[in-house]
Amino acid sequence: MVAEMILEPAGQVSTSIYETGRLVSLSPWLTGHAERVRYLLSSQRADGGWGPPEGYSLVPTLSAIDALLAVLPASPASEELIRAIDSGLTALTSWHRAGWPVPDTPAVDLIVPALTASVSDRLAGPDVAPLLTRWRADRLPLPFGMDGQRLAAVRALLAAGRPVPEKLLHALEVVADLARDAVGVRRPPSGIVGASPAATAAWLGRADSTPADHRSLNYLESVVARHGGPVPCAVPITVFERAWVIGTLTRVGIPMPASADLVDPMTADLGQNGTPAGPGLPPDADTTSVVLYALARLGLPADPECLWRFETEDGFCTWPGEDGFSVTTNAHVLDALGQHIARRPDAAPRYRAAAQRLVTALQARQLADGSWQDRWHASPYYATMCCSLALAEVAPAVAAESLTRAARWVAATQRPDGSWGRWNGTVEETAYAMQVLAIAGRHLPITGSALTRAQAFLVEEVSGQLDRPPLWHDKDLYYPAMIVRAAVLAAQHLATRREPLTHVAGDLSTCPA
């Protein structure tokens, strides 16, 4: 794994229907256009939609429909395109009738209004309307409770030439008509806008790019070449991938080398404001805390002072101005604080007080069934693992009841084949559930048999590794292959070990703030 991460520094992440659709619409001149169109056509579901189940299908379905509508005028006789668009619009209509809630994915309140308007405009266009007559009468509705006010505010911001907040750059494609030459968008030194191919394509604009844009073009060409046409939603993911892999494996006692080739790219942008997950993104508490935790586990502890800029009344925000509260971000901050307290018994009282506050906050947000859910992952098993492992490591005694409840929920939701999963049993979610049982539920009588059945499932499924559904939140769902692989290795290691893990910080309830 270490060798692979060093040889592929951009990271291994699945391609995105949403992001690929944006390149089809924005950059038909870019290498691999035909391959991207074919990718969209071949990934359409039998019911006409695209992407995962439930509300998660909205964004990829809108993007795919918009992209195919953009292609249609150049191929008006293509029955395949017309059928795909027609069935996609039928699925979209069914989606609205079903009333699925819109998931809390990044920039969804900008993406859905922008794409809904674009699809409606294309359907009414003179080149498309005669080909799809039953869809040209009315504009598509927005989901219940959603409006275009925030998108309008972002458009006004760009039109006025005011600086665009860095976190908005990841979804710059929602205002693609204003992105090119926008005064408020700072030219990216690396050429990568918001760690996003679609945002970079929006920034690059026309095919006749100026010399100053060559790095953006080179970035797009390299990503396209890597994946044969389709593109991921975020790339590179160097910092994110390495921090999660190192933290996952070292937590359970699997040694990792602290080599410069592995560590230096992960810490290159770590500073007084924290570190971003990728180029063109703002520093965030989630990535920063996992990097700090991974470094401490490697024996290379760094000063966690940068975390204080993310502190709020409730805990820690993922980034300043975040709407809502992320339990996984706060669990990761608790991990980092716990490592610092363990290694620095003389740590300032502020660190212990913050850790105690996070223990309380995470317990307060545990659901009645014993699980946790979060905004950065579709599966409750990921959130439950993050919270359980942080509480078990930093405050095992004070959180004992919460840990038992989490383990009982996991045990009760195991599938007959030994797996776990929100929609279907998956290798990834099974690995998370196993870690909760092995660490938080090791005293439960059922744990041994549950882990044995789960281990058998992993052995059978990993050998084929056919089912790799995307579960991680970005503009649509994605699959970070190395991070999932690390989770599986950690689960298998825990299932076969006999001694419990050592708690690094003791029980904070016995430590004076």
Side-chain angles (χ1 to χ4, degrees), residues 160-322:
R162 295 170 58 191
V164 176
E166 197 172 12
K167 69 177 183 178
L168 288 179
L169 295 180
H170 187 52
L172 188 63
E173 70 276 1
V174 301
V175 287
D177 59 317
L178 300 174
R180 174 72 178 180
D181 300 326
V183 175
V185 178
R186 181 171 56 87
R187 186 180 298 276
S190 65
I192 305 172
V193 179
S196 162
T200 303
W203 159 259
L204 188 62
R206 302 177 298 272
D208 56 337
S209 59
T210 63
D213 294 326
H214 282 170
R215 279 179 291 187
S216 295
L217 180 58
N218 291 341
Y219 162 72
L220 289 176
E221 293 284 4
S222 68
V223 176
V224 166
R226 167 80 183 276
H227 297 278
V231 294
C233 214
V235 62
I237 60 166
T238 312
V239 177
F240 167 68
E241 180 181 84
R242 295 186 185 200
W244 261 255
V245 167
I246 294 170
T248 295
L249 296 182
T250 55
R251 185 195 292 269
V252 301
I254 299 176
M256 295 281 285
S259 66
D261 286 343
L262 182 64
V263 174
D264 288 354
M266 182 177 69
T267 59
D269 295 319
L270 180 61
Q272 63 180 3
N273 291 326
T275 186
L281 297 174
D284 68 86
D286 199 27
T287 306
T288 299
S289 57
V290 178
V291 167
L292 292 171
Y293 180 80
L295 290 173
R297 282 289 190 176
L298 288 174
L300 303 170
D303 189 349
E305 187 76 14
C306 56
L307 288 174
W308 297 127
R309 69 183 294 263
F310 302 103
E311 190 177 26
T312 68
E313 291 183 0
D314 296 329
F316 287 76
C317 58
T318 307
W319 59 78
E322 177 186 22

Side-chain angles (χ1 to χ4, degrees), residues 26-391:
L26 294 171
S27 307
W29 48 266
L30 186 65
T31 303
H33 177 70
E35 289 77 8
R36 284 187 286 280
V37 173
R38 177 52 51 192
Y39 169 79
L40 294 178
L41 290 171
S42 64
S43 57
Q44 188 173 25
R45 301 190 314 235
D47 67 356
W50 279 266
E54 301 174 9
Y56 288 104
S57 67
L58 176 61
V59 165
T61 297
L62 279 170
S63 182
I65 292 172
D66 183 75
L68 298 180
L69 284 170
V71 171
L72 185 59
S75 307
S78 174
E79 293 185 4
E80 183 181 21
L81 279 175
I82 293 173
R83 284 197 305 270
I85 294 168
D86 183 75
S87 60
L89 290 167
T90 300
L92 197 60
T93 301
S94 299
W95 189 97
H96 282 288
R97 288 174 179 165
W100 292 109
V102 179
D104 182 21
T105 50
V108 69
D109 54 347
L110 302 175
I111 291 170
V112 171
L115 283 178
T116 299
S118 180
V119 169
S120 295
D121 290 343
R122 293 188 193 279
L123 286 171
D127 294 330
V128 170
L131 303 173
L132 293 157
T133 54
R134 76 185 182 107
W135 298 106
R136 67 183 180 182
D138 300 314
R139 297 185 68 81
L140 296 178
L142 287 172
F144 178 77
M146 181 176 282
D147 57 42
Q149 292 185 11
R150 186 167 287 190
L151 176 63
V154 172
R155 293 186 62 83
L157 190 74
L158 267 77
R162 295 170 58 191
V164 176
E166 197 172 12
K167 69 177 183 178
L168 288 179
L169 295 180
H170 187 52
L172 188 63
E173 70 276 1
V174 301
V175 287
D177 59 317
L178 300 174
R180 174 72 178 180
D181 300 326
V183 175
V185 178
R186 181 171 56 87
R187 186 180 298 276
S190 65
I192 305 172
V193 179
S196 162
T200 303
W203 159 259
L204 188 62
R206 302 177 298 272
D208 56 337
S209 59
T210 63
D213 294 326
H214 282 170
R215 279 179 291 187
S216 295
L217 180 58
N218 291 341
Y219 162 72
L220 289 176
E221 293 284 4
S222 68
V223 176
V224 166
R226 167 80 183 276
H227 297 278
V231 294
C233 214
V235 62
I237 60 166
T238 312
V239 177
F240 167 68
E241 180 181 84
R242 295 186 185 200
W244 261 255
V245 167
I246 294 170
T248 295
L249 296 182
T250 55
R251 185 195 292 269
V252 301
I254 299 176
M256 295 281 285
S259 66
D261 286 343
L262 182 64
V263 174
D264 288 354
M266 182 177 69
T267 59
D269 295 319
L270 180 61
Q272 63 180 3
N273 291 326
T275 186
L281 297 174
D284 68 86
D286 199 27
T287 306
T288 299
S289 57
V290 178
V291 167
L292 292 171
Y293 180 80
L295 290 173
R297 282 289 190 176
L298 288 174
L300 303 170
D303 189 349
E305 187 76 14
C306 56
L307 288 174
W308 297 127
R309 69 183 294 263
F310 302 103
E311 190 177 26
T312 68
E313 291 183 0
D314 296 329
F316 287 76
C317 58
T318 307
W319 59 78
E322 177 186 22
D323 296 329
F325 181 98
S326 166
V327 295
T328 61
T329 293
N330 281 271
H332 292 144
V333 173
L334 180 58
D335 283 332
L337 295 178
Q339 286 290 321
H340 182 66
I341 293 167
R343 285 167 169 75
R344 292 285 305 273
D346 60 340
R350 183 179 185 183
Y351 287 99
R352 291 189 180 277
Q356 289 176 325
R357 194 155 60 96
L358 289 181
V359 170
T360 301
L362 292 179
Q363 290 181 283
R365 287 169 172 80
Q366 188 175 20
L367 301 179
D369 62 6
S371 68
W372 281 271
Q373 295 186 5
D374 190 57
R375 66 186 318 177
W376 295 117
H377 202 283
S379 173
Y381 294 100
Y382 174 74
T384 302
M385 179 202 67
C386 291
C387 294
S388 296
L389 269 55
L391 291 172

